[in-house]
Amino acid sequence: MQKGIVDRFRSLPMSNIAVLNGHVVSDLFRNAISTLVMLTAGLAIGFRSHASFTSWLEIAGLLMLFTFAFSWLAAIVGVFAKSVEAVQWLTFVLVFPLTFASGAFVPPESMPHYLRIFAVNQPITHVIVAIRNLMLGLPTGDHVRFAVLWSVAILIVAMPLAAMQYRRKTSN
């Protein structure tokens, strides 16, 4: 937005939100490659999954859906922020509490009551627990359903908000 490339795109015969779409799709591919690298490293150091082929498809689908949803949230931050540093800071402020107050590192049942309430009712916990249980061949309970619902809810809010803000910012 700062280096004039968006102004150049605006002069071309293309949709005015194609830039956002391209950014989100490139995020999806970049994160897929990062995930494959981490998975390969985990397998190389000894992690062995008990997931079936169907479970691996569910894992891939969940990761892609959640990454897609969070990429749209990042697009909102990118449109609102005034600099690259602001985007990094705002993204950190969003992701840090969600990650560390989730079931990523410790089971929510071991957390204090007030933190447990937050941890079990936020998207990252559901995504992580669903993927962890799918990889280990354990029952997932409602975590897959809640992970999908959270991702779809984020998309329903983030996509139009990002597009609206982007249109507003580029029309000025």
Side-chain angles (χ1 to χ4, degrees):
M1 300 280 296
Q2 295 176 334
K3 297 187 181 190
I5 190 76
V6 173
D7 292 332
R8 173 70 179 123
F9 288 148
R10 283 182 27 209
S11 69
L12 297 172
M14 61 188 247
S15 168
N16 65 346
I17 62 165
V19 174
L20 280 180
N21 290 330
H23 172 75
V24 168
V25 170
S26 70
D27 272 356
L28 190 62
F29 281 111
R30 186 174 37 253
N31 284 311
I33 292 168
S34 297
T35 301
L36 287 174
V37 168
M38 287 191 303
L39 184 59
T40 303
L43 291 170
I45 63 171
F47 174 74
R48 297 296 174 256
S49 173
H50 301 288
S52 65
F53 180 73
T54 306
S55 294
W56 277 108
L57 291 177
E58 283 183 80
I59 291 166
L62 275 174
L63 284 172
M64 289 180 66
L65 180 62
F66 192 68
T67 300
F68 188 62
F70 253 72
S71 293
W72 276 103
L73 283 177
I76 292 171
V77 172
V79 171
F80 275 115
K82 304 251 189 260
S83 67
V84 174
E85 294 80 14
V87 171
Q88 292 172 337
W89 183 83
L90 289 168
T91 305
F92 175 78
V93 168
L94 174 68
V95 172
F96 182 80
L98 286 175
T99 303
F100 286 98
S102 73
F105 302 108
V106 297
E109 298 78 32
S110 67
M111 297 177 181
H113 180 69
Y114 62 92
L115 190 55
R116 182 177 343 131
I117 291 170
F118 177 75
V120 298
N121 293 300
Q122 58 117 325
I124 292 180
T125 294
H126 293 295
V127 171
I128 287 173
V129 172
I131 290 171
R132 182 184 295 142
N133 288 357
L134 284 167
M135 281 191 172
L136 297 175
L138 301 172
T140 59
D142 289 332
H143 291 290
V144 171
R145 183 167 49 95
F146 283 131
V148 169
L149 288 172
W150 267 109
S151 297
V152 169
I154 290 168
L155 284 170
I156 288 170
V157 173
M159 287 176 78
L161 184 60
M164 181 179 63
Q165 266 314 110
Y166 181 76
R167 279 189 196 109
R168 190 175 297 154
K169 192 159 191 172
T170 57
S171 67
N172 294 333

